Amino acid sequence: MGQTRALIVGLALVLGQTAASYAADLGLPPPEPELCEGCAGPWYVKGFVGSANPHVGGIDYSLITPDFVTYDKEIKSTPLFGLGIGYDTGHYFRFDLTGEYRGDALFVFHDKYPGPDGSFNYNGPGSGPGTNEYTADIESWVGLANAYIDIGTWHCITPYVGGGVGFASLSITGYKDVNVPNLSVAYGQNNTETNFAWAAYAGFAYKVTPGLTIDLSYRYTDLGDIRTGKIATFDNVSTSGGLQIEDITSNDVMLSVRLALGSQPAPMPVAFK
């Protein structure tokens, strides 16, 4: 059976070459190239997941005076999920638009302040020093227009760098200020703000097939600031302006899958001699 199949294939090749030679002798034009069904086109879609690792640059709050000692200001890590659509020029440059959701991340901030005598000696509620623990949840939606430079390809691996600009919509909810020594609790109103955002990328892409690429990348993202709404004590006796969390940046690690769309023309046939 195997010999018969090999004989049929060989005969077909010989007949094909003979027909092509006769066509060339008669001056007939070579056949038109056909579209390569399923081959990679310039447009692609992508999905990505990752870990967002935010950092807080500073805190602005009217009740925090210079004699306060502050520490432990941070936003905990959270997962991120996103989708995008892009265009690959095939000549080192790619462009895409991405949108992502960054899940609820716990904001934690602590401070302490001295008593009337300037010391931290505790003399009872309301008469001595105190300490505050501020907590809240922060979530965000980020949209970016990105451009990348593919440095080169070795063994299907392409390192690249890139940058993006866009917006970050930050929401702060569940703000609470607990002062245990002085038996006080305050709450802040929820708030949402939209900021200018920018990002810088570095990563490696691995082409699994002509239409499928896996991408591992690092991204530095600047998300801007977010302020709580009005803050009031639990008994509503005292109110103050919001606490502002400044210069929120993030070190993100992401895994992406890119799927090419469309098709490309097949290579031109070899000219007849």
Side-chain angles (χ1 to χ4, degrees), residues 232-273:
T233 56
F234 70 97
D235 54 7
N236 211 33
V237 171
S238 176
T239 61
S240 63
L243 178 146
Q244 179 160 297
I245 306 169
E246 300 179 328
D247 302 325
I248 301 174
T249 59
S250 185
N251 295 291
D252 304 328
V253 178
M254 301 183 298
L255 179 65
S256 306
V257 176
R258 301 203 307 260
L259 180 64
L261 303 175
S263 61
Q264 292 178 326
M268 291 295 292
V270 178
F272 294 108
K273 296 182 179 180

Side-chain angles (χ1 to χ4, degrees), residues 46 54 77 100 176 181 193 237 244 263:
K46 76 175 185 179
S77 298
E100 69 190 67
K176 183 167 61 175
E193 296 183 11
V237 171
Q244 179 160 297
S263 61

Side-chain angles (χ1 to χ4, degrees), residues 1-15:
M1 183 67 180
Q3 293 179 344
T4 303
R5 183 181 301 171
L7 181 61
I8 293 173
V9 172
L11 182 60
L13 291 174
V14 170
L15 291 175

Side-chain angles (χ1 to χ4, degrees), residues 28-272:
L28 298 176
E32 293 292 328
E34 297 179 355
L35 291 180
C36 177
E37 297 294 335
C39 290
W43 290 96
Y44 63 85
V45 293
K46 76 175 185 179
F48 56 95
V49 297
S51 173
N53 304 282
H55 173 75
V56 178
I59 299 293
D60 183 11
Y61 187 29
S62 59
L63 297 184
I64 299 178
T65 60
D67 58 349
F68 274 56
V69 177
T70 63
Y71 54 99
D72 288 352
K73 59 181 187 296
E74 62 177 331
I75 303 176
K76 303 296 185 179
S77 298
T78 185
L80 62 86
F81 312 89
L83 296 171
I85 184 168
Y87 185 87
D88 188 344
T89 67
H91 299 283
Y92 302 104
F93 294 101
R94 290 184 290 113
F95 306 92
D96 63 33
L97 299 173
T98 59
E100 69 190 67
Y101 170 72
R102 304 163 70 94
D104 276 349
L106 178 64
F107 164 71
V108 179
F109 172 50
H110 297 88
D111 67 24
K112 64 179 181 179
Y113 56 88
D117 61 356
S119 72
F120 288 94
N121 297 321
Y122 183 64
N123 298 310
S127 61
T131 181
N132 295 284
E133 180 184 56
Y134 310 87
T135 57
D137 290 321
I138 297 177
E139 67 174 356
S140 56
W141 293 86
V142 179
L144 295 170
N146 306 291
Y148 311 92
I149 300 175
D150 292 330
I151 298 172
T153 301
W154 297 269
H155 303 289
C156 299
I157 298 175
T158 304
Y160 67 88
V161 294
V165 294
F167 71 91
S169 178
L170 306 178
S171 297
I172 186 166
T173 59
Y175 174 86
K176 183 167 61 175
D177 172 4
V178 178
N179 187 323
V180 174
N182 290 291
L183 307 179
S184 177
V185 179
Y187 300 93
Q189 296 177 345
N190 299 342
N191 187 37
T192 298
E193 296 183 11
T194 300
N195 307 318
F196 170 78
W198 63 272
Y201 297 82
F204 296 88
Y206 178 73
K207 188 175 288 294
V208 181
T209 69
L212 179 65
T213 302
I214 297 176
D215 185 328
L216 180 64
S217 63
Y218 162 81
R219 181 182 68 189
Y220 177 86
T221 314
D222 190 312
L223 304 171
D225 308 334
I226 180 66
R227 177 181 289 274
T228 70
K230 184 179 70 173
I231 297 173
T233 56
F234 70 97
D235 54 7
N236 211 33
V237 171
S238 176
T239 61
S240 63
L243 178 146
Q244 179 160 297
I245 306 169
E246 300 179 328
D247 302 325
I248 301 174
T249 59
S250 185
N251 295 291
D252 304 328
V253 178
M254 301 183 298
L255 179 65
S256 306
V257 176
R258 301 203 307 260
L259 180 64
L261 303 175
S263 61
Q264 292 178 326
M268 291 295 292
V270 178
F272 294 108

